Amino acid sequence: MFDYLRDPQEIYAKSFATIEAEAKLARFSEDERPIAIRIIHACGMVEMADQITFGRDVASAAITALRAGKPILCDAEMVRHGVISRLLPAENPVLCTLNDGDTHGLAAELATTRSAAAVEGWKDHIEGAIIAIGNAPTALFHLLEAIHDDRMAKPAVIIGMPVGFVGAAESKDALIAHANGIPFVTLRGRFGGSAVTAATVNALARMARDDDATPDGTLDRKKGGLS
């Protein structure tokens, strides 16, 4: 009935070829490029390349943490479920504390959102961890405050991509300005969400797991197949 491409390998190859042809990738380093490509692929917007911002050596810090088995701490279940567990190099735990304990009560006590209160549940896991915030600006603000006040140890990397109209852009600006030396990757402005955040984690996991990754961040089909 419809004439459309059906071969998964060809679809995959054409998708990345389109990104290479249309996105402005020249400003990214060799280590940043595969991460940027995966973010663009996840949202289908080549113009998003202009909004991607890296801080310090994100790839090397994340690879070291992931290979050491450090956890991935997520602000939302959608982010957690978007992480592809088979890509993780050391069976890294992927945690979301949003529904742990009396998060509602803690949020009321702290006069903040449940997502921000859930960050308090990261205290025992955060040192050297990968942070993946894709939904709640308040979670990113709360995390930055806790690290600044020395109430929490420093994670290895912060992926800060909350989405929305209230506080999203501002929280990401705060991350850029007050990362406190922590490597980070973010998307300026209102755009973000679970898909691009999980895609960023997965890109880093591919880099940590596979020394045979091709320059665009995809796996060599002869060695790792499509994923």
Side-chain angles (χ1 to χ4, degrees):
M1 183 175 178
F2 301 105
D3 182 16
Y4 61 95
L5 197 58
R6 303 168 191 235
D7 183 327
Q9 292 191 354
E10 191 174 355
I11 292 169
Y12 211 70
K14 284 195 171 185
S15 295
F16 284 97
T18 300
I19 295 169
E20 291 280 358
E22 298 183 11
K24 298 176 182 177
L25 302 172
R27 69 184 179 88
F28 298 116
S29 70
E30 183 179 352
D31 287 339
E32 294 169 352
R33 185 184 178 92
I35 305 167
I37 288 173
R38 286 287 174 175
I39 292 170
I40 295 165
H41 183 252
C43 65
M45 300 169 65
V46 294
E47 59 270 28
M48 199 51 59
D50 294 335
Q51 306 305 319
I52 301 170
T53 303
F54 289 94
R56 301 189 63 177
D57 299 324
V58 171
S60 60
I63 288 169
T64 299
L66 289 168
R67 288 178 176 173
K70 294 296 185 179
I72 300 158
L73 306 179
C74 308
D75 70 321
E77 291 289 347
M78 288 180 68
V79 177
R80 182 173 73 86
H81 287 291
V83 175
I84 303 172
S85 59
R86 62 183 169 79
L87 294 179
L88 299 173
E91 298 183 354
N92 307 71
V94 185
L95 307 175
C96 176
T97 57
L98 188 63
N99 298 307
D100 291 0
D102 185 17
T103 314
H104 281 287
L106 182 59
E109 181 183 333
L110 298 174
T112 189
T113 67
R114 191 161 60 98
S115 296
V119 172
E120 291 294 315
W122 296 354
K123 285 182 178 179
D124 293 337
H125 313 282
I126 195 170
E127 187 169 7
I130 307 293
I131 304 299
I133 296 176
N135 284 265
T138 54
L140 183 52
F141 277 127
H142 192 87
L143 173 69
L144 293 173
E145 289 171 341
I147 293 171
H148 179 270
D149 295 341
D150 293 324
R151 291 188 288 109
M152 286 191 186
K154 287 186 178 182
V157 168
I158 299 174
I159 301 168
M161 300 182 178
V163 61
F165 299 100
V166 179
E170 293 84 354
S171 68
K172 289 177 276 190
D173 288 342
L175 173 60
I176 294 168
H178 304 285
N180 203 12
I182 302 166
F184 68 85
V185 55
T186 190
L187 286 171
R188 290 182 180 271
R190 295 172 172 176
F191 192 85
S194 300
V196 291
T197 304
T200 305
V201 175
N202 294 334
L204 293 165
R206 283 182 173 90
M207 297 169 75
R209 190 194 67 175
D210 293 286
D211 292 330
D212 57 313
T214 57
D216 66 358
T218 62
L219 296 179
D220 187 314
R221 291 188 180 88
K222 294 180 181 178
K223 296 179 181 179
L226 289 175
S227 55

